[in-house]
Amino acid sequence: MANKQQLIFLVDDDEMYLDTLEHNLMLDFKDGVKVEKYSTADACLQNIHKDPEVIILDYYLRTDKRKMNGIDVLKKIKENKPDAEVVMLSGQEKLDIAVNCIRNGAYDYIVKNESAYVRAGNLVKNLLNAHEVKKESKRNERWNYVVGAILFVMLVYGIYFHIRYD
Amino acid sequence: MENSTNGKTRTDLEKLRTIARGDEAFMLKLIDHFVKETPFSIEIMEASLANHDYAEIGSTAHKIKPSISFTGIPELERDIRRIEEIALGGRNLGELEGLISRFKAGISEVVNDFLKERDRIENNN
């Protein structure tokens, strides 16, 4: 895990649930993560430029004035931040909703029950680790590109001097 | 919740403690929230029933359903699920009044148990 705090958005209109999720994540990750809570989809989308690594999103937000359902919000998040991993939360144990969420890019779907906090904590842990590995791999790719470019320039110069002075 | 036959409470305070992971300050926060919001949500369901606004009943039941699991009382969890199902499904609407009334009585006893627990925590600290 990186030294930099990783950002997690929690989006739910149930204040009690939001607080409980936040409490559990803070106990699990301490200073390793920064949690921001939003009670509407609009507030989440307005802050998406902050580049959260993980978003835990309630499927059914009563506070949303435009009455977007969870899939609409998920699609908008993915349009803006394709790298952000989204875990959907719902009080509904409906397989079709879960499948639809996954099809539209959600990483997982958690039913809101007493074990949801533990499950959310484990998922966030896995996602943050995977996110770090992905970032590290991108850093390595960039480094490989720089080394390749230097070798190429050296080769071109080598050929040039070889032709000129031979 | 006092059980008239054996004097034991049905509210499972251990569940609340587990969810708060033993953090008593957080337990107080959860209790305060539950005590304030759940009876208010029941009032909304009662008013909506009087107005035949079943969508609002279903939506309110859906919203409070997760926090009812904090009580550790399976009967209340079953009742709130049934209220949501009937209100959103539009069938057996006649059952709603009795269900909401029974749910309200159960929540009222949970609120009493939570408030007693709140006093106990505050007196210990």
Side-chain angles (χ1 to χ4, degrees), chain B residues 7-35:
Chain B
K8 285 184 182 170
T9 65
R10 279 199 299 156
T11 310
D12 185 357
L13 294 166
E14 211 39 56
K15 191 160 229 174
L16 191 67
R17 196 164 288 116
T18 304
I19 288 166
R21 291 169 67 173
D23 180 340
E24 291 198 326
F26 191 67
M27 273 181 82
L28 291 180
K29 193 173 179 181
L30 289 179
I31 288 172
D32 284 346
H33 194 90
F34 188 93
V35 164

Side-chain angles (χ1 to χ4, degrees), chain A residues 23-24 28 62 91 114 117, chain B residues 15 20-21 23 59 65 70:
Chain A
H23 180 251
N24 275 271
D28 286 341
R62 281 164 46 108
E114 60 202 78
Y117 309 105
Chain B
K15 191 160 229 174
R21 291 169 67 173
D23 180 340
S59 164
K65 191 169 60 174
F70 291 17

Side-chain angles (χ1 to χ4, degrees), chain A residues 13-17 19-20 22-25 27-28 37 60 62 90-93 112-114 117, chain B residues 15 19-21 23 26 29-30 33-34 56 59-60 62-67 69-70 77 84:
Chain A
D13 57 353
D14 181 343
E15 200 186 321
M16 196 163 169
Y17 217 81
D19 286 346
T20 310
E22 180 191 32
H23 180 251
N24 275 271
L25 289 175
L27 286 177
D28 286 341
K37 298 183 287 182
Y60 182 63
R62 281 164 46 108
S90 177
Q92 303 184 63
E93 297 177 47
K112 282 182 174 177
N113 55 28
E114 60 202 78
Y117 309 105
Chain B
K15 191 160 229 174
I19 288 166
R21 291 169 67 173
D23 180 340
F26 191 67
K29 193 173 179 181
L30 289 179
H33 194 90
F34 188 93
E56 182 62 28
S59 164
T60 306
H62 180 82
K63 192 190 168 207
I64 64 171
K65 191 169 60 174
S67 56
S69 69
F70 291 17
E77 292 182 59
E84 182 192 9

Side-chain angles (χ1 to χ4, degrees), chain A residues 110-122:
Chain A
I110 301 179
V111 176
K112 282 182 174 177
N113 55 28
E114 60 202 78
S115 64
Y117 309 105
V118 179
R119 183 124 189 265
N122 288 337

Side-chain angles (χ1 to χ4, degrees), chain A residues 25-123:
Chain A
L25 289 175
M26 295 315 287
L27 286 177
D28 286 341
F29 298 98
K30 305 212 162 45
D31 295 331
V33 296
K34 183 175 181 233
V35 173
E36 292 193 7
K37 298 183 287 182
Y38 300 105
S39 60
T40 65
D42 279 337
C44 166
L45 292 168
Q46 277 160 16
N47 287 282
I48 202 78
H49 63 274
K50 293 181 181 173
D51 212 7
E53 270 90 359
V54 179
I55 299 172
I56 299 184
L57 171 70
D58 186 26
Y59 180 83
Y60 182 63
L61 292 164
R62 281 164 46 108
T63 48
D64 190 77
K65 289 184 184 124
R66 286 183 288 164
K67 301 279 177 208
M68 286 192 287
N69 71 23
I71 297 293
D72 299 329
V73 184
L74 172 64
K75 283 180 182 168
K76 285 198 175 293
I77 290 171
K78 285 290 179 184
E79 273 167 31
N80 286 291
K81 291 283 168 198
D83 284 347
E85 296 289 5
V86 182
V87 175
M88 301 296 291
L89 270 180
S90 177
Q92 303 184 63
E93 297 177 47
K94 288 187 177 165
L95 186 64
D96 55 335
I97 293 179
V99 170
N100 206 11
C101 288
I102 306 294
R103 265 199 200 130
N104 281 282
Y107 179 81
D108 210 337
Y109 179 91
I110 301 179
V111 176
K112 282 182 174 177
N113 55 28
E114 60 202 78
S115 64
Y117 309 105
V118 179
R119 183 124 189 265
N122 288 337
L123 278 176

